[in-house]
Amino acid sequence: AQTVTQSQPEMSVQEAETVTLSCTYDTSESDYYLFWYKQPPSRQMILVIRQEAYKQQNATENRFSVNFQKAAKSFSLKISDSQLGDAAMYFCAYTGANSKLTFGKGITLSVRP
Amino acid sequence: NAGVTQTPKFQVLKTGQSMTLQCAQDMNHEYMSWYRQDPGMGLRLIHYSVGAGITDQGEVPNGYNVSRSTTEDFPLRLLSAAPSQTSVYFCASSRTSGGKGTEAFFGQGTRLTVV
């Protein structure tokens, strides 16, 4: 079974600075997707970024980018130029051949003005 | 473009009562699922469906039933509510591509309190 681990329960960043959120996963599959979801206080689940395992290039979406290390099974999210609106809970997630989405426990990110 | 519509947003039940959480999607996605979110636990899979007429259990299925009579709808039934079922519930749908799942689209969530 696949597992996703987010070992840091909380992080804090100064506004306009850069922060990196860590995620590791375990799988025996070679083809899969990885995601980062954002959950603000409104509790809506918002897709931030996705990465296909067979694509070596790291995904980017504006201020958000990932560092995907397939051999190490690591998938970290970098948020550049942090904004107050980035404060939220962030979940790392995995899906593969069975379409089941497996989540990490999440990390609460706070942004200091 | 409604996406995934989940109702209600809030619900309070008494122990032993039953209820149904409704979920509908208009994206023609094959895969639908229900999760519960508890503090420090992330989102855990309750039940899922890979198509109309096909359902299966996830990680925490006890106390819940599902059915999938159409592609669009995937209701979750609480048979006899217990305080341990106090949680936030999410419905999600996704399509498959290249033999694997893709990103999930989520409903707005239901905060359920069982007293």
Side-chain angles (χ1 to χ4, degrees), chain B residues 54-77:
Chain B
I54 306 170
T55 64
D56 206 346
Q57 297 180 352
E59 182 183 354
V60 288
N62 292 340
Y64 308 95
N65 271 358
V66 293
S67 60
R68 183 116 179 251
S69 57
T70 66
T71 300
E72 294 78 18
D73 300 299
F74 190 47
L76 177 72
R77 298 182 186 85

PDB file of all heavy atoms in Angstrom, chain B residues 54-77:
ATOM      1  N   ILE B  54     -20.627   0.013  -8.941  1.00  0.00           N
ATOM      2  CA  ILE B  54     -19.424  -0.577  -8.355  1.00  0.00           C
ATOM      3  C   ILE B  54     -18.947   0.287  -7.191  1.00  0.00           C
ATOM      4  O   ILE B  54     -18.646   1.474  -7.372  1.00  0.00           O
ATOM      5  CB  ILE B  54     -18.292  -0.681  -9.394  1.00  0.00           C
ATOM      6  CG1 ILE B  54     -18.753  -1.431 -10.635  1.00  0.00           C
ATOM      7  CG2 ILE B  54     -17.062  -1.356  -8.771  1.00  0.00           C
ATOM      8  CD1 ILE B  54     -17.779  -1.359 -11.792  1.00  0.00           C
ATOM      9  N   THR B  55     -18.924  -0.292  -6.000  1.00  0.00           N
ATOM     10  CA  THR B  55     -18.386   0.418  -4.837  1.00  0.00           C
ATOM     11  C   THR B  55     -17.460  -0.506  -4.066  1.00  0.00           C
ATOM     12  O   THR B  55     -17.535  -1.732  -4.191  1.00  0.00           O
ATOM     13  CB  THR B  55     -19.510   0.909  -3.903  1.00  0.00           C
ATOM     14  OG1 THR B  55     -20.207  -0.224  -3.363  1.00  0.00           O
ATOM     15  CG2 THR B  55     -20.485   1.811  -4.630  1.00  0.00           C
ATOM     16  N   ASP B  56     -16.612   0.097  -3.243  1.00  0.00           N
ATOM     17  CA  ASP B  56     -15.700  -0.708  -2.433  1.00  0.00           C
ATOM     18  C   ASP B  56     -15.307   0.086  -1.201  1.00  0.00           C
ATOM     19  O   ASP B  56     -15.488   1.311  -1.144  1.00  0.00           O
ATOM     20  CB  ASP B  56     -14.459  -1.102  -3.230  1.00  0.00           C
ATOM     21  CG  ASP B  56     -13.825  -2.387  -2.707  1.00  0.00           C
ATOM     22  OD1 ASP B  56     -14.182  -2.830  -1.579  1.00  0.00           O
ATOM     23  OD2 ASP B  56     -12.960  -2.948  -3.403  1.00  0.00           O
ATOM     24  N   GLN B  57     -14.799  -0.640  -0.222  1.00  0.00           N
ATOM     25  CA  GLN B  57     -14.434  -0.027   1.049  1.00  0.00           C
ATOM     26  C   GLN B  57     -13.056   0.604   0.978  1.00  0.00           C
ATOM     27  O   GLN B  57     -12.155   0.117   0.305  1.00  0.00           O
ATOM     28  CB  GLN B  57     -14.455  -1.084   2.152  1.00  0.00           C
ATOM     29  CG  GLN B  57     -15.809  -1.697   2.395  1.00  0.00           C
ATOM     30  CD  GLN B  57     -15.763  -2.736   3.508  1.00  0.00           C
ATOM     31  OE1 GLN B  57     -14.696  -3.096   3.982  1.00  0.00           O
ATOM     32  NE2 GLN B  57     -16.922  -3.208   3.918  1.00  0.00           N
ATOM     33  N   GLY B  58     -12.911   1.685   1.736  1.00  0.00           N
ATOM     34  CA  GLY B  58     -11.623   2.311   1.894  1.00  0.00           C
ATOM     35  C   GLY B  58     -11.008   1.948   3.226  1.00  0.00           C
ATOM     36  O   GLY B  58     -11.192   0.842   3.740  1.00  0.00           O
ATOM     37  N   GLU B  59     -10.345   2.900   3.815  1.00  0.00           N
ATOM     38  CA  GLU B  59      -9.574   2.676   5.042  1.00  0.00           C
ATOM     39  C   GLU B  59     -10.453   2.617   6.294  1.00  0.00           C
ATOM     40  O   GLU B  59     -10.178   1.867   7.226  1.00  0.00           O
ATOM     41  CB  GLU B  59      -8.553   3.807   5.180  1.00  0.00           C
ATOM     42  CG  GLU B  59      -7.619   3.732   6.368  1.00  0.00           C
ATOM     43  CD  GLU B  59      -6.701   4.954   6.433  1.00  0.00           C
ATOM     44  OE1 GLU B  59      -6.729   5.787   5.498  1.00  0.00           O
ATOM     45  OE2 GLU B  59      -5.973   5.083   7.428  1.00  0.00           O
ATOM     46  N   VAL B  60     -11.519   3.412   6.328  1.00  0.00           N
ATOM     47  CA  VAL B  60     -12.360   3.516   7.525  1.00  0.00           C
ATOM     48  C   VAL B  60     -13.839   3.389   7.166  1.00  0.00           C
ATOM     49  O   VAL B  60     -14.615   4.322   7.307  1.00  0.00           O
ATOM     50  CB  VAL B  60     -12.089   4.851   8.271  1.00  0.00           C
ATOM     51  CG1 VAL B  60     -10.741   4.821   8.959  1.00  0.00           C
ATOM     52  CG2 VAL B  60     -12.175   6.038   7.325  1.00  0.00           C
ATOM     53  N   PRO B  61     -14.306   2.207   6.725  1.00  0.00           N
ATOM     54  CA  PRO B  61     -15.670   2.079   6.206  1.00  0.00           C
ATOM     55  C   PRO B  61     -16.759   1.796   7.245  1.00  0.00           C
ATOM     56  O   PRO B  61     -17.946   1.932   6.949  1.00  0.00           O
ATOM     57  CB  PRO B  61     -15.533   0.869   5.275  1.00  0.00           C
ATOM     58  CG  PRO B  61     -14.495   0.026   5.958  1.00  0.00           C
ATOM     59  CD  PRO B  61     -13.504   1.007   6.543  1.00  0.00           C
ATOM     60  N   ASN B  62     -16.360   1.405   8.457  1.00  0.00           N
ATOM     61  CA  ASN B  62     -17.362   0.941   9.431  1.00  0.00           C
ATOM     62  C   ASN B  62     -18.332   2.048   9.813  1.00  0.00           C
ATOM     63  O   ASN B  62     -17.934   3.149  10.173  1.00  0.00           O
ATOM     64  CB  ASN B  62     -16.668   0.391  10.672  1.00  0.00           C
ATOM     65  CG  ASN B  62     -15.907  -0.886  10.378  1.00  0.00           C
ATOM     66  OD1 ASN B  62     -16.168  -1.560   9.387  1.00  0.00           O
ATOM     67  ND2 ASN B  62     -14.948  -1.212  11.224  1.00  0.00           N
ATOM     68  N   GLY B  63     -19.628   1.723   9.757  1.00  0.00           N
ATOM     69  CA  GLY B  63     -20.670   2.671  10.127  1.00  0.00           C
ATOM     70  C   GLY B  63     -21.206   3.483   8.958  1.00  0.00           C
ATOM     71  O   GLY B  63     -22.086   4.315   9.154  1.00  0.00           O
ATOM     72  N   TYR B  64     -20.683   3.226   7.769  1.00  0.00           N
ATOM     73  CA  TYR B  64     -21.080   3.974   6.576  1.00  0.00           C
ATOM     74  C   TYR B  64     -21.477   3.021   5.444  1.00  0.00           C
ATOM     75  O   TYR B  64     -20.870   1.968   5.283  1.00  0.00           O
ATOM     76  CB  TYR B  64     -19.933   4.851   6.072  1.00  0.00           C
ATOM     77  CG  TYR B  64     -19.299   5.751   7.093  1.00  0.00           C
ATOM     78  CD1 TYR B  64     -18.155   5.342   7.774  1.00  0.00           C
ATOM     79  CD2 TYR B  64     -19.813   7.008   7.364  1.00  0.00           C
ATOM     80  CE1 TYR B  64     -17.553   6.160   8.703  1.00  0.00           C
ATOM     81  CE2 TYR B  64     -19.209   7.835   8.295  1.00  0.00           C
ATOM     82  CZ  TYR B  64     -18.077   7.400   8.967  1.00  0.00           C
ATOM     83  OH  TYR B  64     -17.480   8.221   9.893  1.00  0.00           O
ATOM     84  N   ASN B  65     -22.473   3.455   4.662  1.00  0.00           N
ATOM     85  CA  ASN B  65     -22.848   2.738   3.443  1.00  0.00           C
ATOM     86  C   ASN B  65     -22.842   3.699   2.265  1.00  0.00           C
ATOM     87  O   ASN B  65     -23.116   4.901   2.422  1.00  0.00           O
ATOM     88  CB  ASN B  65     -24.258   2.156   3.569  1.00  0.00           C
ATOM     89  CG  ASN B  65     -24.239   0.760   4.168  1.00  0.00           C
ATOM     90  OD1 ASN B  65     -23.183   0.204   4.453  1.00  0.00           O
ATOM     91  ND2 ASN B  65     -25.409   0.207   4.370  1.00  0.00           N
ATOM     92  N   VAL B  66     -22.582   3.161   1.081  1.00  0.00           N
ATOM     93  CA  VAL B  66     -22.648   3.949  -0.131  1.00  0.00           C
ATOM     94  C   VAL B  66     -23.338   3.136  -1.218  1.00  0.00           C
ATOM     95  O   VAL B  66     -23.442   1.911  -1.132  1.00  0.00           O
ATOM     96  CB  VAL B  66     -21.258   4.386  -0.642  1.00  0.00           C
ATOM     97  CG1 VAL B  66     -20.599   5.370   0.301  1.00  0.00           C
ATOM     98  CG2 VAL B  66     -20.365   3.169  -0.879  1.00  0.00           C
ATOM     99  N   SER B  67     -23.783   3.845  -2.251  1.00  0.00           N
ATOM    100  CA  SER B  67     -24.301   3.218  -3.453  1.00  0.00           C
ATOM    101  C   SER B  67     -23.988   4.145  -4.610  1.00  0.00           C
ATOM    102  O   SER B  67     -23.786   5.353  -4.422  1.00  0.00           O
ATOM    103  CB  SER B  67     -25.809   2.963  -3.343  1.00  0.00           C
ATOM    104  OG  SER B  67     -26.490   4.188  -3.151  1.00  0.00           O
ATOM    105  N   ARG B  68     -23.955   3.592  -5.816  1.00  0.00           N
ATOM    106  CA  ARG B  68     -23.684   4.418  -7.002  1.00  0.00           C
ATOM    107  C   ARG B  68     -24.584   3.910  -8.124  1.00  0.00           C
ATOM    108  O   ARG B  68     -24.203   3.036  -8.892  1.00  0.00           O
ATOM    109  CB  ARG B  68     -22.215   4.325  -7.412  1.00  0.00           C
ATOM    110  CG  ARG B  68     -21.876   5.235  -8.599  1.00  0.00           C
ATOM    111  CD  ARG B  68     -20.898   6.280  -8.194  1.00  0.00           C
ATOM    112  NE  ARG B  68     -20.527   7.149  -9.318  1.00  0.00           N
ATOM    113  CZ  ARG B  68     -19.343   7.120  -9.903  1.00  0.00           C
ATOM    114  NH1 ARG B  68     -18.411   6.254  -9.504  1.00  0.00           N
ATOM    115  NH2 ARG B  68     -19.071   7.946 -10.890  1.00  0.00           N
ATOM    116  N   SER B  69     -25.773   4.476  -8.198  1.00  0.00           N
ATOM    117  CA  SER B  69     -26.731   4.044  -9.212  1.00  0.00           C
ATOM    118  C   SER B  69     -26.530   4.802 -10.525  1.00  0.00           C
ATOM    119  O   SER B  69     -26.932   4.307 -11.587  1.00  0.00           O
ATOM    120  CB  SER B  69     -28.165   4.225  -8.713  1.00  0.00           C
ATOM    121  OG  SER B  69     -28.381   5.581  -8.345  1.00  0.00           O
ATOM    122  N   THR B  70     -25.917   5.964 -10.465  1.00  0.00           N
ATOM    123  CA  THR B  70     -25.637   6.745 -11.675  1.00  0.00           C
ATOM    124  C   THR B  70     -24.183   7.221 -11.628  1.00  0.00           C
ATOM    125  O   THR B  70     -23.561   7.231 -10.558  1.00  0.00           O
ATOM    126  CB  THR B  70     -26.548   7.979 -11.797  1.00  0.00           C
ATOM    127  OG1 THR B  70     -26.238   8.889 -10.737  1.00  0.00           O
ATOM    128  CG2 THR B  70     -28.024   7.595 -11.728  1.00  0.00           C
ATOM    129  N   THR B  71     -23.668   7.657 -12.756  1.00  0.00           N
ATOM    130  CA  THR B  71     -22.324   8.211 -12.788  1.00  0.00           C
ATOM    131  C   THR B  71     -22.221   9.469 -11.936  1.00  0.00           C
ATOM    132  O   THR B  71     -21.196   9.735 -11.318  1.00  0.00           O
ATOM    133  CB  THR B  71     -21.918   8.551 -14.239  1.00  0.00           C
ATOM    134  OG1 THR B  71     -21.956   7.359 -15.018  1.00  0.00           O
ATOM    135  CG2 THR B  71     -20.528   9.164 -14.322  1.00  0.00           C
ATOM    136  N   GLU B  72     -23.313  10.243 -11.882  1.00  0.00           N
ATOM    137  CA  GLU B  72     -23.269  11.564 -11.259  1.00  0.00           C
ATOM    138  C   GLU B  72     -23.340  11.545  -9.741  1.00  0.00           C
ATOM    139  O   GLU B  72     -22.763  12.388  -9.070  1.00  0.00           O
ATOM    140  CB  GLU B  72     -24.429  12.426 -11.785  1.00  0.00           C
ATOM    141  CG  GLU B  72     -24.355  12.766 -13.258  1.00  0.00           C
ATOM    142  CD  GLU B  72     -24.796  11.622 -14.156  1.00  0.00           C
ATOM    143  OE1 GLU B  72     -25.474  10.689 -13.670  1.00  0.00           O
ATOM    144  OE2 GLU B  72     -24.449  11.652 -15.357  1.00  0.00           O
ATOM    145  N   ASP B  73     -24.068  10.580  -9.156  1.00  0.00           N
ATOM    146  CA  ASP B  73     -24.396  10.661  -7.725  1.00  0.00           C
ATOM    147  C   ASP B  73     -23.711   9.587  -6.900  1.00  0.00           C
ATOM    148  O   ASP B  73     -23.645   8.420  -7.312  1.00  0.00           O
ATOM    149  CB  ASP B  73     -25.914  10.560  -7.538  1.00  0.00           C
ATOM    150  CG  ASP B  73     -26.639  11.676  -8.250  1.00  0.00           C
ATOM    151  OD1 ASP B  73     -26.386  12.839  -7.901  1.00  0.00           O
ATOM    152  OD2 ASP B  73     -27.446  11.382  -9.152  1.00  0.00           O
ATOM    153  N   PHE B  74     -23.288   9.970  -5.704  1.00  0.00           N
ATOM    154  CA  PHE B  74     -22.596   9.025  -4.820  1.00  0.00           C
ATOM    155  C   PHE B  74     -22.903   9.410  -3.373  1.00  0.00           C
ATOM    156  O   PHE B  74     -22.096  10.016  -2.680  1.00  0.00           O
ATOM    157  CB  PHE B  74     -21.091   9.071  -5.098  1.00  0.00           C
ATOM    158  CG  PHE B  74     -20.293   7.979  -4.437  1.00  0.00           C
ATOM    159  CD1 PHE B  74     -20.704   6.655  -4.491  1.00  0.00           C
ATOM    160  CD2 PHE B  74     -19.112   8.274  -3.766  1.00  0.00           C
ATOM    161  CE1 PHE B  74     -19.958   5.652  -3.899  1.00  0.00           C
ATOM    162  CE2 PHE B  74     -18.356   7.270  -3.171  1.00  0.00           C
ATOM    163  CZ  PHE B  74     -18.789   5.961  -3.241  1.00  0.00           C
ATOM    164  N   PRO B  75     -24.088   9.050  -2.860  1.00  0.00           N
ATOM    165  CA  PRO B  75     -24.459   9.429  -1.480  1.00  0.00           C
ATOM    166  C   PRO B  75     -23.777   8.557  -0.439  1.00  0.00           C
ATOM    167  O   PRO B  75     -23.486   7.384  -0.680  1.00  0.00           O
ATOM    168  CB  PRO B  75     -25.974   9.202  -1.478  1.00  0.00           C
ATOM    169  CG  PRO B  75     -26.209   8.171  -2.546  1.00  0.00           C
ATOM    170  CD  PRO B  75     -25.171   8.401  -3.588  1.00  0.00           C
ATOM    171  N   LEU B  76     -23.540   9.155   0.716  1.00  0.00           N
ATOM    172  CA  LEU B  76     -22.944   8.456   1.861  1.00  0.00           C
ATOM    173  C   LEU B  76     -23.980   8.391   2.975  1.00  0.00           C
ATOM    174  O   LEU B  76     -24.505   9.428   3.391  1.00  0.00           O
ATOM    175  CB  LEU B  76     -21.709   9.204   2.357  1.00  0.00           C
ATOM    176  CG  LEU B  76     -21.016   8.630   3.600  1.00  0.00           C
ATOM    177  CD1 LEU B  76     -20.281   7.345   3.251  1.00  0.00           C
ATOM    178  CD2 LEU B  76     -20.054   9.647   4.213  1.00  0.00           C
ATOM    179  N   ARG B  77     -24.261   7.201   3.462  1.00  0.00           N
ATOM    180  CA  ARG B  77     -25.263   7.012   4.510  1.00  0.00           C
ATOM    181  C   ARG B  77     -24.609   6.646   5.827  1.00  0.00           C
ATOM    182  O   ARG B  77     -23.781   5.724   5.872  1.00  0.00           O
ATOM    183  CB  ARG B  77     -26.256   5.923   4.102  1.00  0.00           C
ATOM    184  CG  ARG B  77     -27.040   6.256   2.853  1.00  0.00           C
ATOM    185  CD  ARG B  77     -28.049   5.170   2.491  1.00  0.00           C
ATOM    186  NE  ARG B  77     -28.680   5.448   1.204  1.00  0.00           N
ATOM    187  CZ  ARG B  77     -28.164   5.106   0.032  1.00  0.00           C
ATOM    188  NH1 ARG B  77     -27.006   4.460  -0.021  1.00  0.00           N
ATOM    189  NH2 ARG B  77     -28.787   5.410  -1.086  1.00  0.00           N
TER     190      ARG B  77
END
